[in-house]
Amino acid sequence: MLGAQTLREIMEQPEAWSAAIRSFDAAAPEVARLFQERSPDEVIFTGCGSSYYLSMTAAATFQKVVGLRSRAVPASEVLQFPGSVFVPGSRPLLVASSRSGTTTETVHALAIARRRGIATLGLTCARRSPLARGADICIISPKGHEESVVMTKSFSSLLLLGLLLATNHAGGVTLRRDLRRLPALGKRIVKVALNLTGDLGADSARFVFLGAGPAHGIAWEAMLKMTEMAQRPAVAYHPLEFRHGPIAVVGPGTVVVFFGTRAGARLEADLARDLRRHGATVVTLRDEWRGAEEVDVDVTLGVRLDDEARCLLYLPFAQALAYHRAVGVGLDPDRPRHLSSVVRL
Ligand code: F1P
């Protein structure tokens, strides 16, 4: 069967999330000590590909919840433009994520940080990897390891570790409670996602993924899944940014997926209405149905979670959509073209 491994790994996510939570709990005192001893004034999340995209969501969440300046930077930028990343005299903490713990740019970014005396924390699925050995502290996603090239359960379980970092601080109480509900909720969500995406966008020429705040990294990951697995043209934007030019591509044959946030709900509903007028098929994922919006597919999760934790539950939809669009045209999601699971330079 095409994509059997990828499908299995998509379905295994809730278990990987439970294991990640246990792993975080074991590491939490050590993480607290690192923050105490090094007292960072900024947190820089880094990685490559999917691991960079999860860094985006982790950074947006960390800053909002903890109130400490945070941003995401591709590991290649640390490598090529360290002066644009690190501010002289500052005390950043570098959080480096990598499924393999071996990706060249990420391992080099870690080494560059260490040479500058910067504190480092690794998030990985590979216990015995250069990242795990090189970081001051490393937190493992014990069930995130994959046979597949494309990241699914590794992505969501590493993202969960990244989000849990914010719960180790005052202000993280609600997030902590929300994140702990995810494994139980995930079982239902994965099934719904696989059922709902079977034919969605089957005849569509292009996909647009929109997400604001913590959902922005999710939009990028959805774009990457569609590109890697299904080789279908796909882009990712902040929702309102989409009006500033990219909207020109929209017409019949475009599927626009909104990864909804509460803060963005009203303005995104206006955008959805305009996009439908231009002929797009609009899919909205969110927590609750608001009644009046015009969309073609309304996925109402009804989980009563804040945006930051709910974002994780959007991932099975993005993964299942890409999986189905690949299999639907005879592509094997387990064997994406030109890709290997680790990029070594
Ligand atoms: C990162 C990554 C993946 C991508 C591809 C190549 O790997 O860029 O996101 O899907 O498989 O590697 P890692 O640093 O997380 O191991």
Side-chain angles (χ1 to χ4, degrees):
M1 184 184 124
L2 286 179
Q5 273 170 7
T6 305
L7 180 61
R8 183 172 33 81
E9 288 160 1
I10 289 172
M11 294 170 75
E12 285 169 353
Q13 286 181 104
E15 280 169 50
W17 299 349
S18 299
I21 291 171
R22 286 195 295 275
S23 173
F24 181 82
D25 287 346
E30 204 187 353
V31 173
R33 248 192 327 274
L34 182 75
F35 271 87
Q36 225 162 39
E37 284 169 8
R38 307 296 290 264
S39 173
D41 56 7
E42 182 186 19
V43 183
I44 300 171
F45 291 82
T46 197
C48 295
S50 291
S51 295
Y52 167 50
Y53 303 147
L54 74 88
S55 299
M56 288 182 182
T57 294
T61 301
F62 195 88
Q63 173 158 325
K64 181 173 173 235
V65 171
V66 179
L68 189 61
R69 196 168 359 133
S70 308
R71 63 198 157 109
V73 178
S76 57
E77 291 286 296
V78 180
L79 199 68
Q80 294 177 308
F81 294 94
S84 303
V85 176
F86 302 121
V87 179
S90 67
R91 289 187 317 279
L93 165 68
L94 188 78
V95 178
S97 301
S98 170
R99 167 178 64 178
S100 61
T102 306
T103 298
T104 302
E105 297 95 306
T106 310
V107 171
H108 279 230
L110 191 83
I112 289 167
R114 294 204 61 142
R115 277 203 295 279
R116 290 175 175 238
I118 290 168
T120 56
L121 193 157
L123 305 177
T124 183
C125 304
R127 206 177 288 279
R128 275 180 270 281
S129 63
L131 182 75
R133 281 194 298 273
D136 291 326
I137 292 181
C138 197
I139 314 178
I140 306 292
S141 164
K143 294 196 175 176
H145 172 75
E146 286 152 341
E147 299 300 324
S148 299
V149 172
V150 297
M151 293 174 67
T152 55
K153 67 172 174 165
S154 63
F155 181 95
S156 56
S157 61
L158 290 174
L159 172 56
L160 182 52
L161 290 178
L163 297 176
L164 283 162
L165 284 177
T167 67
N168 231 22
H169 297 260
V173 180
T174 307
L175 182 64
R176 185 185 165 81
R177 195 195 55 213
D178 281 359
L179 294 177
R180 275 154 211 275
R181 290 182 53 211
L182 291 176
L185 292 169
K187 289 189 185 134
R188 172 176 71 86
I189 297 289
V190 169
K191 276 193 206 130
V192 173
L194 284 163
N195 286 337
L196 211 98
T197 49
D199 294 325
L200 187 62
D203 302 323
S204 299
R206 67 170 66 83
F207 290 81
V208 175
F209 297 101
L210 303 178
H216 191 58
I218 306 300
W220 277 80
E221 174 63 3
M223 174 279 291
L224 189 68
K225 292 304 86 152
M226 188 58 74
T227 307
E228 288 178 324
M229 287 196 230
Q231 296 165 28
R232 204 72 76 89
V235 291
Y237 285 96
H238 293 278
L240 302 189
E241 271 295 297
F242 195 65
R243 286 189 185 277
H244 296 269
I247 196 166
V249 302
V250 168
T254 305
V255 172
V256 182
V257 180
F258 281 87
F259 296 109
T261 55
R262 267 192 211 125
R266 194 181 59 75
L267 290 167
E268 287 169 18
D270 293 345
L271 176 60
R273 189 193 56 231
D274 293 348
L275 294 174
R276 287 191 81 228
R277 273 199 206 126
H278 296 318
T281 300
V282 172
V283 181
T284 300
L285 287 88
R286 54 188 158 180
D287 211 356
E288 63 217 19
W289 188 63
R290 287 169 175 270
E293 292 99 337
E294 302 165 27
V295 295
D296 297 283
V297 181
D298 188 21
V299 186
T300 307
L301 303 189
V303 289
R304 294 175 190 278
L305 292 177
D306 281 351
D307 290 334
E308 288 72 23
R310 185 173 1 93
C311 275
L312 222 123
L313 296 177
Y314 291 160
L315 288 166
F317 290 91
Q319 298 156 350
L321 180 62
Y323 165 83
H324 282 303
R325 294 297 58 79
V327 170
V329 292
L331 292 171
D332 186 355
D334 292 349
R335 285 172 192 75
R337 196 163 62 146
H338 309 322
L339 270 179
S340 54
S341 53
V342 184
V343 173
R344 290 188 181 86
L345 303 182

